[in-house]
Amino acid sequence: MSVWSIAAAQSGSRPGEIEWNIERHLAFVRQAAEHQVDLLLFPELSITGYELALASQLAMSIDDVRLNAFAEAATEYRMSIVTGVPLQDGDKIRLCALAFLPDGTRLAYFKRNLVEAEKPFFHPGQSVPVFGYQHHHVAMAVCADISVEDYARDAAHRGANLYATSVLLSEKGYHKDCEYLARWSRKFNIAVLMANHALPTGGFDSAGKSAVWDENGRQIIAGGRGEQLVIARRQDSKWQGEVHDLRSATAL
């Protein structure tokens, strides 16, 4: 089996500064390409920051020209890139994990298990897209979705080899949510990738520590604080991990 390299982009976001945040994302993309990453996952609402009150103002369409850079990068680097955006879906705004695939496809997953603070601003989703190729199928989830066992079970039953979870976790909730992810990986024999924010956003102090678990619930790698690229590689059913600080001359 070929090497499969997956990574969490533990990025920091400026509140509502979409253009600046996109440039920050692309710095992660370029560095991930240097490490031959096949799938790069960003945190929840990474492109805008977790700014609930600004959701209607900041909501983007799936074909927003500002997102073209991700589509182009996905094709150029043969990398699937999953970003976090408030997405305009007809007359509704959804909290979205938006994937850009190497073949040009844009695939939206809408958070299903909205927390109370999100319900005035977003409509929950129902779609559960799975993408990828043989032994490399990916299902997505966003933050509070990870507490729902049925969602993880459904991902596994649909053939996913990886549960890619975009989150905003503080220190207070970090360990409990990691326990969920380790439990689902063991119970459903599915690897888990978790991308958390690097810095405070939306009034929450993120814990960082993005991580990857193998199909048996063993944590392969976890990051620390700050902006980091947390990588895990699988070859012949064996995993190994590594962490790299983001190389960037621009301060947050």
Side-chain angles (χ1 to χ4, degrees):
M1 185 183 295
S2 62
V3 177
W4 190 28
S5 297
I6 62 175
Q10 187 167 288
S11 59
S13 302
R14 287 182 174 177
E17 295 190 25
I18 291 174
E19 287 78 8
W20 193 95
N21 292 335
I22 287 175
E23 287 302 316
R24 199 68 165 191
H25 280 54
L26 293 175
F28 273 96
V29 170
R30 290 188 291 269
Q31 190 164 334
E34 293 174 10
H35 291 282
Q36 298 180 311
V37 166
D38 299 303
L39 170 69
L40 182 63
L41 176 70
F42 286 89
E44 180 179 26
L45 292 178
S46 58
I47 287 180
T48 60
Y50 189 78
E51 303 299 327
L52 302 183
L54 298 178
S56 60
Q57 175 184 334
L58 300 176
M60 308 172 78
S61 66
I62 197 169
D63 58 356
D64 191 300
V65 294
R66 292 171 292 181
L67 299 174
N68 288 351
F70 295 114
E72 293 164 3
T75 300
E76 177 180 355
Y77 299 125
R78 307 305 300 167
M79 181 193 304
S80 297
I81 303 168
V82 183
T83 63
V85 297
L87 198 75
Q88 191 75 48
D89 178 37
D91 61 351
K92 296 178 173 61
I93 298 174
R94 314 274 193 184
L95 204 164
C96 177
L98 180 59
F100 299 83
L101 308 187
D103 66 359
T105 301
R106 300 185 188 192
L107 192 63
Y109 168 80
F110 302 137
K111 185 175 184 178
R112 290 176 279 176
N113 187 30
L114 297 174
V115 300
E116 286 302 317
E118 295 164 350
K119 290 178 181 179
F121 306 102
F122 297 103
H123 286 80
Q126 296 178 328
S127 62
V128 191
V130 175
F131 65 89
Y133 50 99
Q134 188 176 17
H135 305 301
H136 302 79
H137 290 107
V138 181
M140 295 179 283
V142 178
C143 209
D145 288 340
I146 66 181
S147 67
V148 182
E149 181 173 353
D150 283 348
Y151 295 175
R153 178 186 291 108
D154 185 53
H157 286 176
R158 291 168 70 88
N161 307 108
L162 179 71
Y163 202 32
T165 63
S166 301
V167 303
L168 169 55
L169 302 182
S170 65
E171 285 287 355
K172 182 178 180 181
Y174 181 85
H175 292 291
K176 181 178 180 181
D177 285 320
C178 286
E179 287 175 358
Y180 283 129
L181 295 175
R183 187 186 312 156
W184 307 150
S185 68
R186 288 192 301 269
K187 189 166 186 176
F188 303 119
N189 193 35
I190 186 172
V192 175
L193 171 64
M194 182 265 281
N196 198 14
H197 282 264
L199 300 169
T201 183
F204 293 91
D205 186 9
S206 176
K209 296 184 284 189
S210 299
V212 185
W213 291 261
D214 70 10
E215 298 86 350
N216 300 307
R218 179 181 69 90
Q219 190 174 85
I220 301 159
I221 190 71
R225 289 277 193 167
E227 292 190 299
Q228 295 182 325
L229 189 64
V230 180
I231 302 174
R233 306 184 195 278
R234 186 187 70 189
Q235 184 173 24
D236 299 326
S237 76
K238 295 181 179 178
W239 288 91
Q240 63 179 22
E242 59 199 65
V243 178
H244 303 272
D245 290 335
L246 176 65
R247 295 195 312 273
S248 177
T250 306
L252 277 161

